[in-house]
Amino acid sequence: MSKLHHSRRRFLGHAAHLLAAGAVLPLTRPAMASMPNARLLAFEHTHTGERLSLVFSLGDHYLPESLRRLNLFLRDHYSGEVGNIDPQLFDLLYGIRQELSCETAFQVISGYRCPETNSRLRKGRGGGVAKRSLHMEGKAIDIRLAGVPLSDLRDAAMAQNGGGVGYYAGSDFVHVDTGRVRTW
């Protein structure tokens, strides 16, 4: 058996095992090294204090249990309502981490928002919250990275060319979404 065939068989064996187990991780560095297509994200929620680190996909294959856990983690922290987060948002976040060569956990300010929460925030803040916010569709997230200048985070998000990027220096976060490409 060739070395290439053996490596591929080993990778597929690991992938099948992870898929069967739901791939809820964190994985050790040696385990990650044997799965070169594993894509990992880590988060800290600034409002709930929760932390989550997991592999969300193996190559282009999203892991359903990981997506379920991400949906729960990024729920509306005001109402507790869980939305369906667009997996492409995780691709964008992964690309941002790659661009920055950073393994730091994303600090989440806001993920999914139910329409009632969005309306209340919009009225209470007198602006700054869009009436048709992509947060309500699970296509937006407000983030920062400890130790990374906010302008660098913004630039890395813009380099992805995968959606909208809003820069909120005064509030110390960057908005990233999977809508049309635009900046503000």
Side-chain angles (χ1 to χ4, degrees):
M1 181 182 311
S2 76
K3 185 175 181 176
L4 177 62
H5 182 73
H6 179 71
S7 295
R8 184 172 185 272
R9 176 178 276 182
R10 182 175 169 198
F11 170 76
L12 291 174
H14 282 297
H17 176 74
L18 281 173
L19 290 172
V24 179
L25 306 176
L27 285 176
T28 62
R29 291 270 176 235
M32 289 289 292
S34 71
M35 294 179 297
N37 291 333
R39 297 192 298 156
L40 174 97
L41 287 173
F43 299 94
E44 300 171 356
H45 203 294
T46 61
H47 295 285
T48 66
E50 296 169 309
R51 295 173 183 259
L52 180 65
S53 177
L54 52 67
V55 170
F56 72 96
S57 73
L58 294 173
D60 292 336
H61 181 79
Y62 298 111
L63 304 174
E65 177 60 18
S66 294
L67 295 181
R68 185 194 67 74
R69 290 194 59 199
L70 285 161
N71 286 342
L72 181 62
F73 182 84
L74 295 171
R75 70 191 175 277
D76 182 325
H77 66 272
Y78 292 99
S79 71
E81 186 174 320
V82 177
N84 288 313
I85 306 298
D86 180 358
Q88 290 181 338
L89 192 58
F90 305 128
D91 294 336
L92 280 174
L93 295 174
Y94 183 78
I96 290 168
R97 277 182 60 166
Q98 296 297 105
E99 180 81 18
L100 293 168
S101 299
C102 176
E103 294 184 13
T104 304
F106 284 103
Q107 295 174 339
V108 176
I109 289 81
S110 183
Y112 173 75
R113 281 191 218 133
C114 72
E116 294 78 19
T117 295
N118 197 73
S119 179
R120 188 173 69 251
L121 291 174
R122 182 174 164 73
K123 290 175 185 170
R125 295 193 178 153
V129 175
K131 185 175 186 175
R132 293 183 184 88
S133 172
L134 290 176
H135 285 275
M136 296 186 298
E137 297 178 34
K139 294 182 176 200
I141 190 168
D142 298 335
I143 54 170
R144 62 180 169 245
L145 282 167
V148 174
L150 205 60
S151 59
D152 290 355
L153 177 58
R154 176 204 56 210
D155 294 348
M158 289 171 50
Q160 300 308 301
N161 203 34
V165 178
Y167 182 60
Y168 295 91
S171 298
D172 194 28
F173 71 85
V174 171
H175 167 99
V176 178
D177 68 51
T178 58
R180 63 183 169 78
V181 175
R182 66 213 186 285
T183 59
W184 62 95

